[in-house]
Amino acid sequence: MIYLDNNATTAMDPSVITAIAQELSRGPANPSSQHSIGRAANERLDDAVLRIGKCLSSDLSVPGGARLILTSGGTESNNLALAGLGLPDSPLIVSAIEHASVLAFAKAAEKAGRQVHLVPATPAGTINVAALHETLERFHSCTAVVSVMSANNETGIVQPIDEVARLCRSAGALLHVDATQSIGKLPATIDDIPADAITITPHKFHGPAGIGALWLASGVKVRPSLFGGEQQLLTRPGTLPVALAVGLARALELAVDNMLVTGQRLVELRNRFESKLSDGCNDLLIHGANENRLPGTTCASFRGTDRQSMLMALDMAGVACSSGSACSSGSSPPSHVLIAMGCPTWAIQSAIRFGSSRFSTIDDIDQAADCICRIYNRLRS
Ligand code: PLP
């Protein structure tokens, strides 16, 4: 099987598996326990957290400074940020192309009485910055919470976070950035993502699923969404998974160390893939082809086909890809991202997402492109 669904999740790097296995084999590890075994686990957890901070150029050892809250993944980090930043009734401003974990939260919050504003996207696939500006002007008198992703999970289009951050700062709004898709792929120091809170999700960069993090800038507070023990200064109670935190740290170190080389290689693979698809498929539309995109992401529409038939035929032929974000029901609803970009119906109906990773090879790309063109031409006829 050729795996081109790396925006959904990635294979764990062997050295991450080794680091997790070594940590698991040490025996019981509850870092909140007072005995020496617990204290030793806590030291290893602290070490993992500091290493994660180092990768982000954020010193997490300073009391009262920036913090990292460990969670179960991107969905929980996003929910924690949106529920807990600012005041309980702070207006919530999110872009129309956010992940379901942001949009569904916003919908539920609106139903519960909170003011929610959806900022439209441009046809180029970015948040409409002028519309964000207008919305922020309206809420100048109260602290709004803004949530914008750093790169879109379906199109890979990189969002203008600098501009968004500048607008938020001058409006006195708090900014949460869902950096799930860009961390580990694009530079991710705190200077690169000037936000109050950042979501990190290691299963997108060859780390483990089941753990994520919410980075908080110095002085930024979040109210807890869960209640229980006193772990993580009461912000997110629950026994901490030391082995997964060690895996997160290792995966991030590897991603940061390899970022330049991997990024260049993935752009070359993507160019090769897209030019093969364009040669072999008439009426192909590559979304954001001229935009700044994540190195390994291609979102393309195949006119004259529907995405479900393409996906099933590709799966049977040995190519794993997707029609947008992975959905728990296994169905493929039309992409809200392409709808927000104003794409024509045929393009929404026939959109497929391909995502490569540092484990993808030229052979994978060539074979997948041949297979896609063959299946497209067969289905179309
Ligand atoms: N945000 C974005 C942009 C994503 O792509 C995803 C996962 O696809 C998530 C959040 C949710 O992350 P998780 O699967 O770790 O809950």
Side-chain angles (χ1 to χ4, degrees), residues 12-367:
M12 258 202 278
D13 189 285
S15 92
V16 173
I17 297 175
T18 305
I20 293 175
Q22 274 173 355
E23 179 53 44
L24 287 173
S25 64
R26 287 178 194 272
N30 186 336
S32 303
S33 298
Q34 288 181 347
H35 45 66
S36 56
I37 294 176
R39 291 199 307 276
N42 195 38
E43 272 178 28
R44 298 196 299 279
L45 178 70
D46 280 350
D47 175 64
V49 168
L50 292 182
R51 284 163 53 204
I52 295 164
K54 202 167 165 207
C55 291
L56 306 172
S57 297
S58 172
D59 183 356
L60 299 173
S61 68
V62 184
R67 285 179 66 193
L68 194 79
I69 299 171
L70 295 174
T71 66
S72 62
T75 298
E76 187 189 331
S77 296
N78 285 348
N79 273 255
L80 179 62
L82 300 190
L85 286 170
L87 298 169
D89 61 351
S90 289
L92 185 57
I93 302 172
V94 306
S95 90
I97 55 171
E98 297 304 303
H99 184 262
S101 53
V102 168
L103 290 177
F105 178 93
K107 207 168 165 191
E110 189 170 37
K111 224 171 159 189
R114 193 165 164 185
Q115 280 192 73
V116 171
H117 287 266
L118 215 58
V119 181
T122 64
T126 54
I127 178 174
N128 184 326
V129 175
L132 173 66
H133 185 47
E134 268 172 37
T135 310
L136 282 168
E137 296 266 282
R138 270 194 274 150
F139 293 110
H140 220 87
S141 51
C142 44
T143 308
V145 174
V146 176
S147 185
V148 178
M149 60 193 354
S150 51
N152 187 265
N153 48 308
E154 296 188 20
T155 60
I157 294 170
V158 176
Q159 301 298 309
I161 291 300
D162 270 347
E163 243 178 304
V164 168
R166 202 170 33 75
L167 289 178
C168 289
R169 221 171 291 130
S170 69
L174 287 163
L175 173 62
H176 163 249
V177 172
D178 175 3
T180 295
Q181 289 292 342
S182 71
I183 285 199
K185 299 171 194 162
L186 299 176
T189 69
I190 296 319
D191 288 337
D192 301 310
I193 311 177
D196 297 291
I198 301 172
T199 288
I200 302 168
T201 318
H203 73 95
K204 307 289 186 183
F205 51 87
H206 305 292
I211 187 168
L214 184 69
W215 176 90
L216 293 177
S218 174
V220 173
K221 292 195 170 47
V222 281
R223 284 177 306 284
S225 292
L226 300 178
F227 298 88
E230 297 192 358
Q231 293 94 342
Q232 307 201 72
L233 303 175
L234 292 161
T235 309
R236 201 280 191 177
T239 302
L240 286 160
V242 183
L244 295 181
V246 166
L248 194 176
R250 184 76 196 115
L252 189 53
E253 285 170 347
L254 282 170
V256 169
D257 287 351
N258 291 305
M259 186 167 305
L260 266 182
V261 176
T262 305
Q264 270 168 16
R265 204 174 74 80
L266 288 182
V267 168
E268 282 164 23
L269 286 184
R270 188 186 66 197
N271 291 344
R272 185 181 175 100
F273 180 62
E274 292 183 357
S275 95
K276 278 178 174 282
L277 290 188
S278 302
D279 288 347
C281 308
N282 283 333
D283 280 344
L284 181 81
L285 171 63
I286 296 174
H287 298 282
N290 299 319
E291 303 299 320
N292 183 14
R293 280 181 292 160
L294 292 173
T297 304
T298 297
C299 179
S301 291
F302 297 83
R303 194 176 192 132
T305 63
D306 77 275
R307 60 187 180 281
Q308 206 56 44
S309 316
M310 278 286 281
L311 275 186
M312 280 163 57
L314 285 169
D315 186 28
M316 275 162 57
V319 177
C321 50
S322 78
S323 63
S325 53
C327 170
S328 60
S329 66
S331 66
S332 73
S335 159
H336 68 282
V337 176
L338 299 183
I339 293 172
M341 287 165 65
C343 290
T345 308
W346 72 263
I348 296 165
Q349 297 304 357
S350 63
I352 308 268
R353 175 185 74 177
F354 306 95
S356 52
S357 82
R358 71 167 179 266
F359 296 143
S360 305
T361 63
I362 289 193
D363 261 8
D364 289 342
I365 293 304
D366 287 353
Q367 279 182 42

